[in-house]
Amino acid sequence: MRLEDHDAADIDITNFVDEFSHCFTGECRVGVLQTLSQISRIITASDDLAGSLPLILAVMRQQLKMKRGLLTLYDRASETIFVHDSFGLSDEEKARGAVLPGEGVIDKVIATGKTLIARSRRGARAVFDKEKKSRAETAFICIPIIHAQKVLGALAAERGYMNPRLRAQDVEILTMIAAMIAPAAELYLLETLEKTRLEQENRRLRNTLGQRFRPDNMIGGSKSMQDVYDLVEKVAATKATVLILGESGVGKELVANAIHFNSAASDGPFIKSNCAALPESLAESELFGHERGAFTGALSLRKGSFELADGGTIFLDEVGELSLSIQAKLLRILQERTFERVGGSRSIKIDVRIIAATNRNLAEMVEKGLFREDLYYRLNVFPITVPPLRERGSDVITLADHFVTTFAAENNKPVKRISTPALNMLMAYHWPGNVRELENIMERAVILCEDEVIHAYALPPSLQTSKESGTSFGVSLESKLHSVEYEMIVEALKNSSGHIGDAARELGLTRRMLGKRLERYGLNYKTFRAAGASGDDLG
């Protein structure tokens, strides 16, 4: 294949019009000038590549008698050359849609920024199907589209030529067209491809969030949590108002996330509002927004949480902390889905799903006159009670292992498991702070850990006292030593799969000394021998 290359900026068009007027080549190109002027006016008026491209391809096909033509653009972010529009391509070529770097003439033009002409059928075959036999020499002309010294793509065409001067004229015409459409091509790449990338990234993030908060991905397999999962799955498919009940730290916000991201409104906004953190003077403005000049300091219009959640879900955490006046306005939204901004008179209608949560007993608050009875019944359409951690059985261990893995990775520590004595203490504790307290305790334990195992002495004193945890070890020096000794013996027995001799050697004791300590702590080496095959089943 013979290739001729030209610098797009160096093409001499001084005698361009003169050559056209004499028609020395057998095909007159004078009529093309009027069309080029028309293309220029269209591009100047709108910078719209889609608006001018059909006319450009028509000129190439009808007036220049090209058999095939295409406009390719170069996406720098993905390093992909793709066909934006074309004519004369086969179905297979159209189906491909993209030309990967290194595949032929177009790639070389975009890489070098220079015009290339493939002057044989073999050269043309690098991009197109095999040309039918003809006495005319087939030429594949490829012109770079350059703007601000950046190659944006290429304009390419193929036809047979009997006269080399006609081919040179067509190169000049295509070069002029490429220069005219360069600004529109850059605008298209900036707007269309960047918008597409942002949309794809947005979908990816939403899919990630949806996967993260799906009920079947929530941690814990206890019966009480399975009941919660079932309720979440059922109510997520509806638009019913949900009231999530439970103690502080049980994960009510996690349940709200699961409901939203498994609902039909998962593509819509998910706005969270902590009612307990809203000052009385600002609560109405935060939730419902305000008009400009509604009060001192209201310098501009502000949308509230409800308006921002339109088309999605609003999560009202600690709804029991709202004042009676705000409760009245919330009741109207639940009934009519309309409200007015502070200082405004126009009713705003919204389509929003309301999820509320509280750790307070709303029924008791109603009896005491602290919470509106009508609002309570409006919120209590579909109640979900999240159980406290002390009622979730082995979920304590599952959650603890999860937090250890997470914090070990965050802190670059080789922590692999939790020791048996530490697990016993975790299971015995009553967890007044629920999952949030467990998370904080495991983060602290990982930070204090000096080897690959979370030991009991890395847990806070509240878990190590008999009063708080129900365990038999106090905080006196003697009790602390017994605690450490007990844990070391258990670890040695686990490592040796219950073999007394190996465990004694690891601890630096005789078999007799180890036997006495086993009696002291009520340990049976056979238990560890039976569990040896299961590795960490005991901790």
Side-chain angles (χ1 to χ4, degrees):
M1 177 181 70
R2 291 182 55 201
L3 291 179
E4 296 180 358
D5 64 331
H6 308 274
D7 192 322
D10 295 336
I11 292 180
D12 183 8
I13 58 171
T14 306
N15 300 318
F16 186 51
V17 176
D18 184 57
E19 289 191 11
F20 279 171
S21 62
H22 288 82
C23 297
F24 291 145
T25 61
E27 291 183 26
C28 187
R29 294 286 188 247
V30 174
V32 178
L33 295 177
Q34 184 178 357
T35 305
L36 291 177
S37 177
Q38 185 180 356
I39 294 173
S40 178
R41 287 195 300 272
I42 292 174
I43 294 175
T44 304
S46 66
D47 275 342
D48 181 14
L49 186 62
S52 58
L53 197 53
L55 181 58
I56 292 170
L57 295 179
V59 169
M60 294 169 61
R61 187 169 199 166
Q62 298 170 11
Q63 295 185 255
L64 301 185
K65 299 181 181 179
M66 301 292 181
K67 295 182 179 179
R68 297 176 181 86
L70 69 161
L71 174 71
T72 59
L73 295 176
Y74 177 51
D75 180 8
R76 292 179 179 274
S78 62
E79 297 185 342
T80 303
I81 304 167
F82 63 94
V83 178
H84 181 60
D85 206 347
S86 65
F87 66 87
L89 270 64
S90 66
D91 292 339
E92 180 182 354
E93 290 161 348
K94 290 179 181 179
R96 286 185 61 191
V99 181
L100 297 177
E103 283 195 343
V105 177
I106 294 176
D107 175 52
K108 292 183 176 65
V109 168
I110 290 177
T112 63
K114 293 182 178 296
T115 296
L116 288 179
I117 305 172
R119 298 181 60 195
S120 70
R121 286 189 296 271
R122 182 181 178 185
R125 199 160 54 239
V127 178
F128 296 111
D129 286 337
K130 185 177 179 180
E131 176 64 21
K132 296 179 180 180
K133 294 181 179 180
S134 172
R135 288 180 296 175
E137 183 180 54
T138 299
F140 175 61
I141 303 169
C142 191
I143 313 291
I145 300 173
I146 302 174
H147 186 65
Q149 298 183 338
K150 290 188 300 184
V151 180
L152 308 174
L155 182 65
E158 181 190 32
R159 68 158 284 176
Y161 289 98
M162 299 290 290
N163 191 316
R165 298 186 64 184
L166 178 62
R167 186 191 67 210
Q169 288 182 357
D170 285 350
V171 169
E172 293 176 345
I173 293 173
L174 294 176
T175 301
M176 294 174 65
I177 294 175
M180 285 190 291
I181 65 175
E186 182 174 43
L187 186 62
Y188 174 86
L189 287 169
L190 288 173
E191 290 184 348
T192 307
L193 294 185
E194 186 63 24
K195 180 181 178 181
T196 301
R197 269 193 290 272
L198 289 174
E199 289 175 348
Q200 290 173 344
E201 178 66 9
N202 191 26
R203 283 194 296 271
R204 185 190 68 79
L205 291 174
R206 287 189 178 277
N207 289 337
T208 300
L209 288 172
Q211 187 73 13
R212 179 182 176 186
F213 295 114
R214 278 172 44 195
D216 57 355
N217 279 358
M218 292 170 64
I219 297 170
S222 61
K223 176 62 169 62
S224 57
M225 285 306 294
Q226 290 295 334
D227 293 340
V228 171
Y229 301 158
D230 290 341
L231 292 174
V232 168
E233 184 178 6
K234 287 180 173 65
V235 77
T238 73
K239 296 187 70 173
T241 300
V242 180
L243 179 61
I244 305 173
L245 305 169
E247 297 177 5
S248 178
V250 294
K252 296 186 290 293
E253 184 177 328
L254 190 66
V255 174
N257 274 299
I259 294 171
H260 171 73
F261 285 107
N262 285 272
S263 71
S266 60
D267 288 335
F270 181 54
I271 305 299
K272 305 174 186 179
S273 183
N274 187 347
C275 301
L278 297 177
E280 175 68 23
S281 57
L282 296 177
E284 188 174 6
S285 174
E286 289 291 327
L287 291 174
F288 309 111
H290 61 252
E291 299 287 349
R292 179 181 180 183
F295 50 84
T296 303
L299 302 179
S300 61
L301 181 148
R302 183 183 185 279
K303 293 183 178 181
S305 297
F306 276 95
E307 196 169 351
L308 293 173
D310 188 24
T313 304
I314 185 169
F315 174 52
L316 301 175
D317 197 10
E318 302 302 342
V319 71
E321 306 300 324
L322 290 176
S323 66
L324 290 172
S325 61
I326 300 298
Q327 290 177 30
K329 201 162 186 178
L330 176 58
L331 177 64
R332 183 189 173 193
I333 289 184
L334 284 165
Q335 291 174 332
E336 305 174 9
R337 292 298 193 269
T338 60
F339 68 97
E340 290 89 32
R341 300 191 191 104
V342 177
S345 57
R346 181 175 65 88
S347 291
I348 300 172
K349 190 170 184 64
I350 55 172
D351 177 19
V352 63
R353 201 242 190 94
I354 298 174
I355 301 176
T358 183
N359 60 2
R360 303 183 66 175
N361 189 325
L362 293 186
E364 287 185 3
M365 293 180 66
V366 169
E367 292 179 3
K368 296 176 181 179
L370 300 177
F371 201 84
R372 293 182 62 109
E373 184 176 13
D374 46 5
L375 177 59
Y376 170 66
Y377 290 117
R378 283 285 182 179
L379 289 174
N380 199 35
V381 175
F382 195 93
I384 298 177
T385 300
V386 184
L389 185 56
R390 61 182 172 273
E391 297 178 6
R392 293 176 57 180
S394 61
D395 282 357
V396 174
I397 306 304
T398 305
L399 286 162
D401 285 336
H402 168 74
F403 291 138
V404 167
T405 302
T406 300
F407 293 124
E410 289 182 1
N411 293 279
N412 295 317
K413 287 204 159 191
V415 185
K416 295 182 178 178
R417 63 185 181 90
I418 306 171
S419 70
T420 299
L423 289 176
N424 292 337
M425 294 169 67
L426 293 175
M427 290 295 293
Y429 188 54
H430 63 283
W431 298 109
N434 292 293
V435 179
R436 187 180 297 121
E437 183 182 10
L438 174 60
E439 181 178 10
N440 294 338
I441 285 175
M442 299 320 298
E443 182 176 13
R444 174 184 182 272
V446 169
I447 293 172
L448 294 175
C449 186
E450 297 179 350
D451 53 25
E452 297 182 349
V453 181
I454 298 291
H455 298 285
Y457 51 78
L459 301 179
S462 60
L463 272 71
Q464 300 189 36
T465 64
S466 57
K467 177 180 178 181
E468 294 295 332
S469 67
T471 59
S472 59
F473 303 118
V475 291
S476 66
L477 176 60
E478 185 177 359
S479 297
K480 184 73 172 179
L481 291 173
H482 285 171
S483 174
V484 174
E485 183 180 54
Y486 171 83
E487 182 172 346
M488 291 180 67
I489 291 172
V490 169
E491 291 299 309
L493 288 171
K494 287 172 61 179
N495 293 337
S496 64
S497 298
H499 293 285
I500 296 292
D502 292 344
R505 279 192 294 273
E506 181 178 334
L507 294 168
L509 302 174
T510 65
R511 291 173 61 95
R512 182 171 174 275
M513 293 171 64
L514 179 58
K516 287 188 174 182
R517 284 169 170 77
L518 292 179
E519 291 179 6
R520 178 190 302 170
Y521 296 117
L523 294 171
N524 188 339
Y525 70 91
K526 294 181 180 179
T527 303
F528 298 90
R529 181 171 295 177
S534 58
D536 290 343
D537 288 347
L538 295 174

